[in-house]
Amino acid sequence: MSSTPAVPKILIVGGGYAGFYTAWKLEKHLRKGEAEVTMVDPLPYMTYQPFLPEVAAGEIEARHIVVGHRRHLKRTKVVTAKVTGIDHANKTATITPEEGAPWEIEYDQIVVTAGAVSRTFPIPGIADNAIGLKTIEEAVAIRDRLLGNFDKAANLPPGPERDRLLTVVVVGGGFAGIEVFAELRAFASSLLRVYPQLSFEDTHFHLIEAMGRIMPEVSLKTSEWVLKDLAKRGANVHLDTQVTGAVDGVIELSTGESLPSDLIIWTAGVMANPTVVRGGDLPVEERGRIATRADLRVGTVDEVVEGAWAAGDVSAVPDLTGKGVGGYCVPNAQHAVRQAKLLAKNLTAVLRGELPQEYIHHNLGAVAGLGLYNGVFQSGNIALKGLIAWFAHRGYHGMAMPSWERKWRVVGDWWHNFWLGRDNVSLATVQNPRYVFEEFAARPRPAAPVEPQQPAIDPKSVVGEDAPVAGAKAEKEPAKAPVAG
Ligand SMILES: Cc1cc2nc3c(=O)[nH]c(=O)nc-3n(C[C@H](O)[C@H](O)[C@H](O)COP(=O)(O)OP(=O)(O)OC[C@H]3O[C@@H](n4cnc5c(N)ncnc54)[C@H](O)[C@@H]3O)c2cc1C
């Protein structure tokens, strides 16, 4: 009697750019019943991170920049939980859900695409007072904090407290830092129209960069144009400066300056997801990323770890163009998406006994939005600035947003904002959605305090169950109907 061969099980760890695209493409390449794909991510969606600065600046509705896993992955089993351990020697992974006990899952092929997290340094106060910009929750919180601070500041007389509320500090002059800094500056300027109590001079924007320049992805000349443009818009960039403290929300700089601020955004670098990297037995290179080959299998040039693949920010994939930093692909979406597409092809090929191909991608350039109608684009020696670069930014990212369903929503937001202006209300109260209900909700009356009772008769003379009990009267009294309000 012949038994049917087991269907290979593919486990994808992380459903961001690289994980989502790997699953999406595997659905296209794999024949029915050829393999079983499971994708595990603690979030039920993939986040289109290049749009986070525009969400923070109220230009795109937050929900529209995330792509729901279950809606778009029809043949993949989606598990909303964390992978907290990988035992590749035994081909099992530990899945830890938010509720309930962890469990083990067996696999034949694992794809590690768990991305990166904000990399910070042990500077006093940063962990407690700053916020990163890697998730949709952070972008929304930044938008709401800025709006909430405008509301508070509008009620205050000029002075240090009002200055603190209207001071924004961004740490890190890479792409993400500059984009959010420029977008928030433009957002704050647009808000002044609806806050007549506040003037442009009341708002303070500072970007702190440890290096002598910003945006290493563009040429020095282009980066200097960005610096001048920011200066014209009243935004201060502190080059060659380090943050030495952020205790109680006061940013201390290596230059000796202090900047009290209620909104400190940390964008000074990322590191490969430590939970997944350290929680497993896959080889890790010196910068803490999964050692990955050019064919996207885990391992080195000389040694392949069979059944293990990696892509995106969590991995160190050799850049065969020879232009990568330290010889590796830089952590960006351009690579994550393309690696994922090839990974899906390669994995399918290997399952069919064919050979995988090597990943090679020539950088297309970099494009950044710097607020409405302003941007910068660089590809080789070609640089575009201002309005035309802003169109390039919107055009590129509008098209790159996965699925037509999401593209429409984002483009719809842009269209509506063009005619109606940006949405400028804070929804910070969603963090405490029950506050009104709770304030007015009727509650059972607290039990009456127990009063010591004077025995009517000498207790010594009483025997048995009829002895008076302290508090009995209160308990027997019928409860009064609650009064609304
Ligand atoms: C503000 C900002 C702007 C950017 N702009 C650009 C740009 O213009 N161009 C560009 O090319 N790149 C840009 N990038 C970089 C780009 O977004 C990242 O390089 C890209 O998201 C990397 O994809 P990834 O799949 O490796 O990681 P991610 O997209 O971060 O996905 C990782 C996934 O893993 C999940 N995960 C985390 N822990 C676990 C766990 N324990 N178990 C399972 N899953 C887990 C996460 O929830 C997440 O869904 C920008 C980034 C930021 C923050």
Short mmCIF file of all heavy atoms in Angstrom, two decimals, residues 13-19 40-43 45 49-50 52-53 81-83 113-116 133-134 176 179 273 275-276 311-314 331-334 336 367 397, ligand 1:
data_model
loop_
_atom_site.label_atom_id
_atom_site.label_comp_id
_atom_site.label_asym_id
_atom_site.label_seq_id
_atom_site.Cartn_x
_atom_site.Cartn_y
_atom_site.Cartn_z
N VAL A 13 8.11 33.84 9.30
CA VAL A 13 8.17 34.53 10.59
C VAL A 13 8.17 36.04 10.31
O VAL A 13 9.18 36.61 9.92
CB VAL A 13 9.44 34.13 11.37
CG1 VAL A 13 9.49 34.82 12.72
CG2 VAL A 13 9.51 32.62 11.52
N GLY A 14 7.01 36.67 10.50
CA GLY A 14 6.90 38.11 10.24
C GLY A 14 6.12 38.37 8.97
O GLY A 14 6.42 37.77 7.92
N GLY A 15 5.14 39.27 9.05
CA GLY A 15 4.30 39.57 7.88
C GLY A 15 4.38 41.04 7.51
O GLY A 15 3.38 41.67 7.19
N GLY A 16 5.62 41.61 7.56
CA GLY A 16 5.82 42.99 7.10
C GLY A 16 6.08 42.97 5.60
O GLY A 16 5.55 42.12 4.88
N TYR A 17 6.92 43.89 5.14
CA TYR A 17 7.22 43.96 3.71
C TYR A 17 7.64 42.60 3.16
O TYR A 17 7.03 42.06 2.26
CB TYR A 17 8.39 44.91 3.51
CG TYR A 17 8.00 46.28 3.09
CD1 TYR A 17 7.89 47.29 4.02
CD2 TYR A 17 7.76 46.57 1.76
CE1 TYR A 17 7.56 48.57 3.64
CE2 TYR A 17 7.43 47.84 1.37
CZ TYR A 17 7.33 48.85 2.32
OH TYR A 17 7.00 50.11 1.93
N ALA A 18 8.74 42.08 3.71
CA ALA A 18 9.33 40.87 3.14
C ALA A 18 8.43 39.66 3.36
O ALA A 18 8.23 38.85 2.45
CB ALA A 18 10.72 40.64 3.73
N GLY A 19 7.86 39.53 4.56
CA GLY A 19 7.03 38.36 4.87
C GLY A 19 5.75 38.36 4.08
O GLY A 19 5.34 37.34 3.50
N VAL A 40 3.27 33.93 10.55
CA VAL A 40 3.03 34.34 11.94
C VAL A 40 3.52 35.77 12.14
O VAL A 40 4.66 36.09 11.80
CB VAL A 40 3.78 33.40 12.92
CG1 VAL A 40 3.43 33.74 14.37
CG2 VAL A 40 3.46 31.94 12.63
N ASP A 41 2.67 36.60 12.68
CA ASP A 41 3.05 38.00 12.97
C ASP A 41 2.17 38.46 14.13
O ASP A 41 0.98 38.15 14.16
CB ASP A 41 2.80 38.89 11.74
CG ASP A 41 3.47 40.25 11.86
OD1 ASP A 41 3.19 40.98 12.84
OD2 ASP A 41 4.28 40.59 10.99
N PRO A 42 2.74 39.19 15.10
CA PRO A 42 1.90 39.66 16.20
C PRO A 42 0.85 40.67 15.76
O PRO A 42 -0.12 40.92 16.47
CB PRO A 42 2.89 40.31 17.18
CG PRO A 42 4.13 40.56 16.40
CD PRO A 42 4.16 39.56 15.29
N LEU A 43 1.05 41.27 14.57
CA LEU A 43 0.09 42.25 14.07
C LEU A 43 -0.72 41.63 12.94
O LEU A 43 -0.18 40.84 12.16
CB LEU A 43 0.83 43.48 13.51
CG LEU A 43 1.69 44.24 14.51
CD1 LEU A 43 2.54 45.28 13.80
CD2 LEU A 43 0.81 44.90 15.56
N TYR A 45 -1.59 42.95 10.27
CA TYR A 45 -1.39 43.71 9.04
C TYR A 45 0.08 43.98 8.78
O TYR A 45 0.91 43.90 9.68
CB TYR A 45 -2.13 45.06 9.12
CG TYR A 45 -1.84 45.82 10.39
CD1 TYR A 45 -0.65 46.51 10.57
CD2 TYR A 45 -2.77 45.84 11.44
CE1 TYR A 45 -0.39 47.21 11.74
CE2 TYR A 45 -2.52 46.54 12.62
CZ TYR A 45 -1.33 47.22 12.76
OH TYR A 45 -1.06 47.90 13.92
N GLN A 49 5.69 51.43 5.81
CA GLN A 49 6.41 52.39 6.67
C GLN A 49 6.79 53.71 5.99
O GLN A 49 6.82 54.74 6.66
CB GLN A 49 7.65 51.72 7.26
CG GLN A 49 7.28 50.61 8.23
CD GLN A 49 8.49 49.84 8.74
OE1 GLN A 49 9.60 50.32 8.74
NE2 GLN A 49 8.26 48.62 9.19
N PRO A 50 7.08 53.74 4.68
CA PRO A 50 7.41 55.05 4.09
C PRO A 50 6.30 56.09 4.24
O PRO A 50 6.55 57.29 4.12
CB PRO A 50 7.66 54.71 2.62
CG PRO A 50 8.14 53.29 2.65
CD PRO A 50 7.35 52.64 3.75
N LEU A 52 4.62 56.54 7.09
CA LEU A 52 4.45 56.91 8.50
C LEU A 52 4.60 58.43 8.71
O LEU A 52 3.80 59.03 9.44
CB LEU A 52 5.43 56.15 9.39
CG LEU A 52 5.18 54.64 9.51
CD1 LEU A 52 6.28 53.97 10.33
CD2 LEU A 52 3.82 54.36 10.14
N PRO A 53 5.59 59.10 8.07
CA PRO A 53 5.68 60.55 8.27
C PRO A 53 4.42 61.29 7.82
O PRO A 53 4.00 62.25 8.45
CB PRO A 53 6.90 60.95 7.44
CG PRO A 53 7.74 59.71 7.38
CD PRO A 53 6.75 58.59 7.31
N ALA A 81 0.34 36.14 16.28
CA ALA A 81 1.09 35.80 17.50
C ALA A 81 2.57 36.07 17.21
O ALA A 81 2.93 36.39 16.08
CB ALA A 81 0.89 34.33 17.85
N LYS A 82 3.39 35.94 18.27
CA LYS A 82 4.84 36.16 18.07
C LYS A 82 5.55 34.83 17.92
O LYS A 82 5.17 33.86 18.57
CB LYS A 82 5.42 36.81 19.32
CG LYS A 82 5.38 38.29 19.33
CD LYS A 82 6.11 38.80 20.54
CE LYS A 82 5.97 40.31 20.59
NZ LYS A 82 6.44 40.89 21.80
N VAL A 83 6.61 34.81 17.12
CA VAL A 83 7.52 33.67 17.17
C VAL A 83 8.57 34.04 18.21
O VAL A 83 9.24 35.07 18.09
CB VAL A 83 8.16 33.41 15.79
CG1 VAL A 83 9.28 32.38 15.90
CG2 VAL A 83 7.10 32.94 14.81
N THR A 113 11.59 36.79 8.35
CA THR A 113 11.41 38.16 7.82
C THR A 113 10.85 39.04 8.94
O THR A 113 9.87 39.76 8.74
CB THR A 113 10.42 38.14 6.63
OG1 THR A 113 9.25 37.43 7.05
CG2 THR A 113 10.99 37.49 5.40
N ALA A 114 11.47 38.96 10.11
CA ALA A 114 10.91 39.66 11.29
C ALA A 114 11.38 41.11 11.41
O ALA A 114 11.14 41.75 12.44
CB ALA A 114 11.24 38.88 12.55
N GLY A 115 12.02 41.64 10.39
CA GLY A 115 12.31 43.07 10.34
C GLY A 115 13.28 43.58 11.39
O GLY A 115 14.14 42.85 11.90
N ALA A 116 13.14 44.87 11.68
CA ALA A 116 14.05 45.55 12.60
C ALA A 116 13.25 46.38 13.59
O ALA A 116 12.08 46.68 13.36
CB ALA A 116 15.00 46.45 11.81
N LEU A 133 9.68 55.71 15.39
CA LEU A 133 8.78 55.85 14.23
C LEU A 133 8.96 54.62 13.34
O LEU A 133 9.53 54.68 12.26
CB LEU A 133 9.09 57.14 13.45
CG LEU A 133 8.11 57.43 12.31
CD1 LEU A 133 6.70 57.65 12.80
CD2 LEU A 133 8.54 58.62 11.47
N LYS A 134 8.48 53.48 13.87
CA LYS A 134 8.55 52.24 13.09
C LYS A 134 7.15 51.63 12.92
O LYS A 134 6.97 50.73 12.13
CB LYS A 134 9.43 51.21 13.84
CG LYS A 134 10.90 51.43 13.73
CD LYS A 134 11.45 51.14 12.34
CE LYS A 134 11.44 49.66 11.99
NZ LYS A 134 11.71 49.45 10.55
N ALA A 176 14.22 58.69 7.39
CA ALA A 176 13.00 58.69 8.20
C ALA A 176 12.95 59.95 9.07
O ALA A 176 11.91 60.60 9.18
CB ALA A 176 12.95 57.44 9.05
N GLU A 179 12.33 63.12 6.95
CA GLU A 179 10.96 63.15 6.43
C GLU A 179 9.96 63.55 7.51
O GLU A 179 9.12 64.41 7.30
CB GLU A 179 10.59 61.79 5.85
CG GLU A 179 11.09 61.60 4.45
CD GLU A 179 10.40 60.44 3.75
OE1 GLU A 179 10.65 59.29 4.14
OE2 GLU A 179 9.61 60.69 2.85
N ASN A 273 15.61 42.46 14.45
CA ASN A 273 14.69 42.05 15.52
C ASN A 273 15.36 41.11 16.54
O ASN A 273 15.63 39.94 16.24
CB ASN A 273 13.51 41.34 14.87
CG ASN A 273 12.41 41.03 15.84
OD1 ASN A 273 12.67 40.64 16.98
ND2 ASN A 273 11.18 41.23 15.42
N THR A 275 14.33 39.63 19.31
CA THR A 275 13.57 38.47 19.82
C THR A 275 13.81 37.26 18.92
O THR A 275 14.06 36.15 19.39
CB THR A 275 12.04 38.77 19.82
OG1 THR A 275 11.82 40.03 20.39
CG2 THR A 275 11.24 37.71 20.52
N VAL A 276 13.73 37.51 17.63
CA VAL A 276 13.82 36.40 16.69
C VAL A 276 15.28 35.98 16.46
O VAL A 276 15.60 34.78 16.41
CB VAL A 276 13.12 36.79 15.36
CG1 VAL A 276 13.36 35.77 14.27
CG2 VAL A 276 11.64 36.97 15.61
N ALA A 311 15.09 37.36 4.59
CA ALA A 311 15.07 38.54 3.72
C ALA A 311 14.67 39.76 4.53
O ALA A 311 14.17 39.64 5.65
CB ALA A 311 14.07 38.33 2.57
N GLY A 312 14.92 40.94 3.97
CA GLY A 312 14.52 42.18 4.62
C GLY A 312 15.50 42.62 5.70
O GLY A 312 16.65 42.17 5.76
N ASP A 313 15.02 43.50 6.58
CA ASP A 313 15.89 44.16 7.56
C ASP A 313 16.53 43.22 8.57
O ASP A 313 17.53 43.57 9.20
CB ASP A 313 15.09 45.22 8.34
CG ASP A 313 14.70 46.42 7.49
OD1 ASP A 313 15.01 46.41 6.28
OD2 ASP A 313 14.09 47.35 8.03
N VAL A 314 15.95 42.03 8.77
CA VAL A 314 16.50 41.11 9.77
C VAL A 314 17.72 40.36 9.23
O VAL A 314 18.46 39.74 9.97
CB VAL A 314 15.39 40.10 10.21
CG1 VAL A 314 15.17 39.00 9.18
CG2 VAL A 314 15.69 39.49 11.58
N PRO A 331 19.21 48.23 4.79
CA PRO A 331 17.84 47.88 5.19
C PRO A 331 16.81 48.87 4.63
O PRO A 331 16.64 49.95 5.18
CB PRO A 331 17.89 47.95 6.74
CG PRO A 331 19.02 48.87 7.05
CD PRO A 331 19.97 48.81 5.90
N ASN A 332 16.20 48.53 3.53
CA ASN A 332 15.12 49.38 3.03
C ASN A 332 14.08 48.53 2.30
O ASN A 332 14.27 47.35 2.03
CB ASN A 332 15.63 50.55 2.17
CG ASN A 332 16.24 50.12 0.86
OD1 ASN A 332 15.95 49.05 0.33
ND2 ASN A 332 17.12 50.95 0.32
N ALA A 333 12.96 49.21 2.00
CA ALA A 333 11.82 48.50 1.41
C ALA A 333 12.13 48.05 -0.01
O ALA A 333 11.65 47.01 -0.46
CB ALA A 333 10.61 49.41 1.43
N GLN A 334 12.94 48.87 -0.71
CA GLN A 334 13.32 48.53 -2.08
C GLN A 334 13.89 47.11 -2.13
O GLN A 334 13.55 46.32 -2.99
CB GLN A 334 14.41 49.51 -2.51
CG GLN A 334 14.15 50.17 -3.82
CD GLN A 334 15.32 51.07 -4.20
OE1 GLN A 334 16.25 50.63 -4.86
NE2 GLN A 334 15.28 52.32 -3.81
N ALA A 336 13.72 44.82 0.53
CA ALA A 336 12.85 43.84 1.21
C ALA A 336 11.84 43.25 0.22
O ALA A 336 11.65 42.04 0.15
CB ALA A 336 12.14 44.50 2.38
N VAL A 367 13.83 58.77 -2.69
CA VAL A 367 12.89 59.88 -2.83
C VAL A 367 12.24 60.13 -1.48
O VAL A 367 11.89 59.20 -0.77
CB VAL A 367 11.85 59.56 -3.95
CG1 VAL A 367 11.00 58.35 -3.67
CG2 VAL A 367 10.99 60.76 -4.26
N HIS A 397 5.46 56.10 -4.40
CA HIS A 397 4.88 55.38 -3.26
C HIS A 397 3.41 55.03 -3.48
O HIS A 397 2.94 53.99 -3.01
CB HIS A 397 5.08 56.17 -1.96
CG HIS A 397 6.50 56.10 -1.49
ND1 HIS A 397 7.09 54.92 -1.11
CD2 HIS A 397 7.45 57.05 -1.37
CE1 HIS A 397 8.34 55.15 -0.77
NE2 HIS A 397 8.59 56.42 -0.92
C1 LIG B 1 9.58 56.17 8.66
C2 LIG B 1 10.16 55.21 7.68
C3 LIG B 1 10.26 55.56 6.34
C4 LIG B 1 10.82 54.68 5.43
N1 LIG B 1 10.90 55.05 4.11
C5 LIG B 1 11.43 54.21 3.21
C6 LIG B 1 11.50 54.57 1.84
O1 LIG B 1 11.09 55.66 1.45
N2 LIG B 1 12.04 53.67 0.97
C7 LIG B 1 12.49 52.44 1.37
O2 LIG B 1 12.96 51.67 0.53
N3 LIG B 1 12.45 52.08 2.67
C8 LIG B 1 11.92 52.91 3.60
N4 LIG B 1 11.85 52.55 4.91
C9 LIG B 1 12.40 51.25 5.34
C10 LIG B 1 11.44 50.10 5.10
O3 LIG B 1 10.16 50.40 5.56
C11 LIG B 1 11.97 48.84 5.78
O4 LIG B 1 13.25 48.60 5.30
C12 LIG B 1 11.07 47.65 5.48
O5 LIG B 1 9.86 47.80 6.17
C13 LIG B 1 11.73 46.33 5.88
O6 LIG B 1 10.86 45.28 5.64
P1 LIG B 1 10.90 43.97 6.56
O7 LIG B 1 9.86 43.04 6.03
O8 LIG B 1 12.26 43.49 6.71
O9 LIG B 1 10.46 44.49 8.00
P2 LIG B 1 9.06 45.06 8.46
O10 LIG B 1 8.32 45.64 7.32
O11 LIG B 1 9.35 45.93 9.63
O12 LIG B 1 8.27 43.76 8.94
C14 LIG B 1 8.65 42.99 10.04
C15 LIG B 1 7.42 42.24 10.54
O13 LIG B 1 7.83 41.30 11.53
C16 LIG B 1 6.87 41.28 12.55
N5 LIG B 1 7.46 40.75 13.77
C17 LIG B 1 8.15 41.42 14.72
N6 LIG B 1 8.50 40.58 15.72
C18 LIG B 1 8.02 39.35 15.39
C19 LIG B 1 8.03 38.09 16.04
N7 LIG B 1 8.63 37.91 17.22
N8 LIG B 1 7.41 37.06 15.44
C20 LIG B 1 6.79 37.24 14.23
N9 LIG B 1 6.75 38.42 13.59
C21 LIG B 1 7.36 39.45 14.16
C22 LIG B 1 6.45 42.75 12.66
O14 LIG B 1 5.20 42.87 13.32
C23 LIG B 1 6.41 43.15 11.22
O15 LIG B 1 5.14 42.96 10.65
C24 LIG B 1 11.29 53.41 5.85
C25 LIG B 1 11.18 53.05 7.20
C26 LIG B 1 10.62 53.93 8.11
C27 LIG B 1 10.51 53.53 9.55
#
